[in-house]
Amino acid sequence: VHAAADPARGRFRVFLRTALHNFILSARAAAGTARRGSNRASAGFDPDELATESDADLPDRAFERAWALLVVNRALQALRREARAAGKLELFDRLKPFLLESPDRDDYERIAAETATRPNTIAVATHRLRARLRELVLAELAETVADPAEVDAEYGALLEAMRPARDRQRAL
């Protein structure tokens, strides 16, 4: 399928999202035909469970979120490999929960006590890991676009996809 993707026509992520959208439309049509008595098989799932008329963009949101999580997870795996190579895997594993969510001051103090370091040292290590994670995410995104100038737009789309639904609703 991805052989049909033309980098000059846009981002690969958008191509995949469009392919998913077309698949869901085809599955709906097949399910509708099956309900009318045809012997055609459906796609094996009920597309109505994925989206309703009031949530027409649910598959797009689900795809965007899955894409964002994949990119972030790949970057986290690369960061973990770097930490292992640097002999800092244990610290990485302790700080990983704080790379995507801001920790409380108490969290820094708890980890500092557990590792016999100062809370400021933990805060600086977290800051550096977050900065490196961002670099790795941007590198992952650069692999998916034809023009390096598109990376910033893809990063913005990733951040939007990662925002909780309640925050998106407030922004409307």
Side-chain angles (χ1 to χ4, degrees):
V1 167
H2 78 56
D6 179 5
R9 294 183 60 203
R11 297 182 183 104
F12 186 62
R13 177 179 53 84
V14 174
F15 170 79
L16 289 176
R17 187 179 64 213
T18 302
L20 174 65
H21 180 72
N22 290 337
F23 173 79
I24 289 171
L25 289 177
S26 295
R28 280 185 180 162
T33 301
R35 281 193 292 262
R36 288 190 299 270
S38 170
N39 290 331
R40 290 179 59 191
S42 69
F45 68 93
D46 185 359
D48 294 331
E49 291 178 9
L50 295 177
T52 63
E53 294 303 317
S54 62
D55 286 334
D57 65 345
L58 184 61
D60 287 344
R61 289 222 186 269
F63 175 84
E64 293 289 333
R65 179 119 174 115
W67 162 79
L69 291 172
L70 175 68
V71 170
V72 170
N73 282 330
R74 288 178 55 97
L76 279 169
Q77 290 170 1
L79 188 57
R80 189 169 202 278
R81 286 190 300 272
E82 289 179 4
R84 178 182 289 131
K88 298 183 178 185
L89 185 58
E90 183 181 341
L91 181 61
F92 172 82
D93 287 340
R94 288 178 184 267
L95 298 180
K96 183 181 173 187
F98 309 137
L99 298 181
L100 300 177
E101 297 286 330
S102 296
D104 294 331
R105 180 79 179 149
D106 295 342
D107 292 326
Y108 285 151
E109 290 174 6
R110 178 182 48 80
I111 292 174
E114 292 171 358
T115 59
T117 59
R118 296 186 343 228
N120 288 354
T121 303
I122 299 300
V124 168
T126 302
H127 174 75
R128 288 180 180 159
L129 284 172
R130 282 182 173 177
R132 182 62 184 141
L133 178 61
R134 183 178 188 277
E135 291 171 2
L136 292 169
V137 165
L138 291 172
E140 285 288 329
L141 293 173
E143 295 290 324
T144 67
V145 295
D147 182 359
E150 295 175 344
V151 172
D152 286 340
E154 287 293 283
Y155 186 68
L158 181 137
L159 293 177
E160 178 63 22
M162 295 290 288
R163 282 179 42 200
R166 66 181 184 279
D167 292 345
R168 284 194 301 267
Q169 289 173 350
R170 275 190 228 139
L172 298 178

PDB file of all heavy atoms in Angstrom, residues 30-47:
ATOM      1  N   ALA A  30     -19.745  -2.470   3.252  1.00  0.00           N
ATOM      2  CA  ALA A  30     -19.870  -3.933   3.246  1.00  0.00           C
ATOM      3  C   ALA A  30     -20.825  -4.382   4.341  1.00  0.00           C
ATOM      4  O   ALA A  30     -21.643  -5.283   4.127  1.00  0.00           O
ATOM      5  CB  ALA A  30     -18.501  -4.581   3.424  1.00  0.00           C
ATOM      6  N   ALA A  31     -20.747  -3.774   5.499  1.00  0.00           N
ATOM      7  CA  ALA A  31     -21.649  -4.142   6.596  1.00  0.00           C
ATOM      8  C   ALA A  31     -23.083  -3.782   6.244  1.00  0.00           C
ATOM      9  O   ALA A  31     -24.010  -4.536   6.541  1.00  0.00           O
ATOM     10  CB  ALA A  31     -21.222  -3.445   7.889  1.00  0.00           C
ATOM     11  N   GLY A  32     -23.273  -2.658   5.585  1.00  0.00           N
ATOM     12  CA  GLY A  32     -24.614  -2.262   5.172  1.00  0.00           C
ATOM     13  C   GLY A  32     -25.176  -3.212   4.136  1.00  0.00           C
ATOM     14  O   GLY A  32     -26.349  -3.576   4.173  1.00  0.00           O
ATOM     15  N   THR A  33     -24.340  -3.651   3.216  1.00  0.00           N
ATOM     16  CA  THR A  33     -24.764  -4.613   2.209  1.00  0.00           C
ATOM     17  C   THR A  33     -25.137  -5.928   2.868  1.00  0.00           C
ATOM     18  O   THR A  33     -26.147  -6.547   2.527  1.00  0.00           O
ATOM     19  CB  THR A  33     -23.638  -4.837   1.178  1.00  0.00           C
ATOM     20  OG1 THR A  33     -23.326  -3.586   0.581  1.00  0.00           O
ATOM     21  CG2 THR A  33     -24.063  -5.811   0.104  1.00  0.00           C
ATOM     22  N   ALA A  34     -24.339  -6.367   3.825  1.00  0.00           N
ATOM     23  CA  ALA A  34     -24.612  -7.633   4.515  1.00  0.00           C
ATOM     24  C   ALA A  34     -25.936  -7.554   5.265  1.00  0.00           C
ATOM     25  O   ALA A  34     -26.685  -8.526   5.319  1.00  0.00           O
ATOM     26  CB  ALA A  34     -23.467  -7.965   5.466  1.00  0.00           C
ATOM     27  N   ARG A  35     -26.237  -6.415   5.823  1.00  0.00           N
ATOM     28  CA  ARG A  35     -27.503  -6.279   6.555  1.00  0.00           C
ATOM     29  C   ARG A  35     -28.699  -6.362   5.609  1.00  0.00           C
ATOM     30  O   ARG A  35     -29.787  -6.734   6.008  1.00  0.00           O
ATOM     31  CB  ARG A  35     -27.526  -4.966   7.320  1.00  0.00           C
ATOM     32  CG  ARG A  35     -26.744  -5.017   8.612  1.00  0.00           C
ATOM     33  CD  ARG A  35     -27.059  -3.813   9.469  1.00  0.00           C
ATOM     34  NE  ARG A  35     -26.563  -2.583   8.886  1.00  0.00           N
ATOM     35  CZ  ARG A  35     -25.429  -1.980   9.223  1.00  0.00           C
ATOM     36  NH1 ARG A  35     -24.648  -2.513  10.129  1.00  0.00           N
ATOM     37  NH2 ARG A  35     -25.053  -0.868   8.658  1.00  0.00           N
ATOM     38  N   ARG A  36     -28.492  -5.982   4.350  1.00  0.00           N
ATOM     39  CA  ARG A  36     -29.594  -6.031   3.387  1.00  0.00           C
ATOM     40  C   ARG A  36     -29.755  -7.423   2.786  1.00  0.00           C
ATOM     41  O   ARG A  36     -30.561  -7.620   1.907  1.00  0.00           O
ATOM     42  CB  ARG A  36     -29.354  -5.006   2.284  1.00  0.00           C
ATOM     43  CG  ARG A  36     -29.553  -3.572   2.770  1.00  0.00           C
ATOM     44  CD  ARG A  36     -29.544  -2.592   1.620  1.00  0.00           C
ATOM     45  NE  ARG A  36     -28.297  -2.572   0.882  1.00  0.00           N
ATOM     46  CZ  ARG A  36     -27.260  -1.799   1.144  1.00  0.00           C
ATOM     47  NH1 ARG A  36     -27.302  -0.977   2.165  1.00  0.00           N
ATOM     48  NH2 ARG A  36     -26.182  -1.836   0.395  1.00  0.00           N
ATOM     49  N   GLY A  37     -28.955  -8.398   3.242  1.00  0.00           N
ATOM     50  CA  GLY A  37     -29.156  -9.766   2.811  1.00  0.00           C
ATOM     51  C   GLY A  37     -28.140 -10.282   1.822  1.00  0.00           C
ATOM     52  O   GLY A  37     -28.233 -11.418   1.376  1.00  0.00           O
ATOM     53  N   SER A  38     -27.137  -9.508   1.465  1.00  0.00           N
ATOM     54  CA  SER A  38     -26.125  -9.998   0.548  1.00  0.00           C
ATOM     55  C   SER A  38     -25.249 -11.034   1.243  1.00  0.00           C
ATOM     56  O   SER A  38     -25.159 -11.081   2.461  1.00  0.00           O
ATOM     57  CB  SER A  38     -25.254  -8.830   0.079  1.00  0.00           C
ATOM     58  OG  SER A  38     -24.135  -9.305  -0.614  1.00  0.00           O
ATOM     59  N   ASN A  39     -24.571 -11.834   0.498  1.00  0.00           N
ATOM     60  CA  ASN A  39     -23.664 -12.827   1.062  1.00  0.00           C
ATOM     61  C   ASN A  39     -22.243 -12.297   1.194  1.00  0.00           C
ATOM     62  O   ASN A  39     -21.341 -13.047   1.526  1.00  0.00           O
ATOM     63  CB  ASN A  39     -23.656 -14.092   0.186  1.00  0.00           C
ATOM     64  CG  ASN A  39     -24.956 -14.835   0.302  1.00  0.00           C
ATOM     65  OD1 ASN A  39     -25.620 -14.776   1.336  1.00  0.00           O
ATOM     66  ND2 ASN A  39     -25.345 -15.518  -0.773  1.00  0.00           N
ATOM     67  N   ARG A  40     -22.043 -11.027   0.922  1.00  0.00           N
ATOM     68  CA  ARG A  40     -20.703 -10.449   1.046  1.00  0.00           C
ATOM     69  C   ARG A  40     -20.301 -10.413   2.510  1.00  0.00           C
ATOM     70  O   ARG A  40     -21.081 -10.077   3.382  1.00  0.00           O
ATOM     71  CB  ARG A  40     -20.676  -9.031   0.480  1.00  0.00           C
ATOM     72  CG  ARG A  40     -20.818  -9.026  -1.032  1.00  0.00           C
ATOM     73  CD  ARG A  40     -20.805  -7.629  -1.582  1.00  0.00           C
ATOM     74  NE  ARG A  40     -19.571  -6.950  -1.222  1.00  0.00           N
ATOM     75  CZ  ARG A  40     -19.387  -5.644  -1.389  1.00  0.00           C
ATOM     76  NH1 ARG A  40     -20.330  -4.904  -1.892  1.00  0.00           N
ATOM     77  NH2 ARG A  40     -18.254  -5.086  -1.048  1.00  0.00           N
ATOM     78  N   ALA A  41     -19.047 -10.729   2.775  1.00  0.00           N
ATOM     79  CA  ALA A  41     -18.533 -10.734   4.156  1.00  0.00           C
ATOM     80  C   ALA A  41     -18.145  -9.324   4.565  1.00  0.00           C
ATOM     81  O   ALA A  41     -17.695  -8.524   3.751  1.00  0.00           O
ATOM     82  CB  ALA A  41     -17.330 -11.655   4.263  1.00  0.00           C
ATOM     83  N   SER A  42     -18.306  -9.041   5.841  1.00  0.00           N
ATOM     84  CA  SER A  42     -17.868  -7.750   6.369  1.00  0.00           C
ATOM     85  C   SER A  42     -16.399  -7.846   6.737  1.00  0.00           C
ATOM     86  O   SER A  42     -15.785  -8.898   6.646  1.00  0.00           O
ATOM     87  CB  SER A  42     -18.700  -7.354   7.587  1.00  0.00           C
ATOM     88  OG  SER A  42     -18.402  -8.204   8.664  1.00  0.00           O
ATOM     89  N   ALA A  43     -15.831  -6.757   7.188  1.00  0.00           N
ATOM     90  CA  ALA A  43     -14.402  -6.704   7.496  1.00  0.00           C
ATOM     91  C   ALA A  43     -14.054  -7.386   8.805  1.00  0.00           C
ATOM     92  O   ALA A  43     -12.895  -7.403   9.183  1.00  0.00           O
ATOM     93  CB  ALA A  43     -13.944  -5.249   7.535  1.00  0.00           C
ATOM     94  N   GLY A  44     -15.009  -7.914   9.540  1.00  0.00           N
ATOM     95  CA  GLY A  44     -14.696  -8.619  10.773  1.00  0.00           C
ATOM     96  C   GLY A  44     -14.851  -7.772  12.019  1.00  0.00           C
ATOM     97  O   GLY A  44     -14.544  -8.226  13.109  1.00  0.00           O
ATOM     98  N   PHE A  45     -15.277  -6.552  11.879  1.00  0.00           N
ATOM     99  CA  PHE A  45     -15.567  -5.715  13.027  1.00  0.00           C
ATOM    100  C   PHE A  45     -16.710  -4.799  12.663  1.00  0.00           C
ATOM    101  O   PHE A  45     -17.053  -4.647  11.497  1.00  0.00           O
ATOM    102  CB  PHE A  45     -14.338  -4.912  13.477  1.00  0.00           C
ATOM    103  CG  PHE A  45     -13.929  -3.862  12.472  1.00  0.00           C
ATOM    104  CD1 PHE A  45     -14.401  -2.575  12.572  1.00  0.00           C
ATOM    105  CD2 PHE A  45     -13.062  -4.177  11.440  1.00  0.00           C
ATOM    106  CE1 PHE A  45     -14.027  -1.615  11.657  1.00  0.00           C
ATOM    107  CE2 PHE A  45     -12.690  -3.218  10.515  1.00  0.00           C
ATOM    108  CZ  PHE A  45     -13.169  -1.936  10.617  1.00  0.00           C
ATOM    109  N   ASP A  46     -17.303  -4.220  13.675  1.00  0.00           N
ATOM    110  CA  ASP A  46     -18.428  -3.328  13.439  1.00  0.00           C
ATOM    111  C   ASP A  46     -17.921  -1.894  13.393  1.00  0.00           C
ATOM    112  O   ASP A  46     -17.570  -1.328  14.436  1.00  0.00           O
ATOM    113  CB  ASP A  46     -19.470  -3.504  14.544  1.00  0.00           C
ATOM    114  CG  ASP A  46     -20.719  -2.691  14.283  1.00  0.00           C
ATOM    115  OD1 ASP A  46     -20.777  -1.972  13.258  1.00  0.00           O
ATOM    116  OD2 ASP A  46     -21.642  -2.767  15.118  1.00  0.00           O
ATOM    117  N   PRO A  47     -17.842  -1.269  12.232  1.00  0.00           N
ATOM    118  CA  PRO A  47     -17.347   0.095  12.144  1.00  0.00           C
ATOM    119  C   PRO A  47     -18.182   1.074  12.960  1.00  0.00           C
ATOM    120  O   PRO A  47     -17.680   2.107  13.374  1.00  0.00           O
ATOM    121  CB  PRO A  47     -17.442   0.426  10.651  1.00  0.00           C
ATOM    122  CG  PRO A  47     -17.584  -0.857   9.956  1.00  0.00           C
ATOM    123  CD  PRO A  47     -18.193  -1.814  10.933  1.00  0.00           C
TER     124      PRO A  47
END
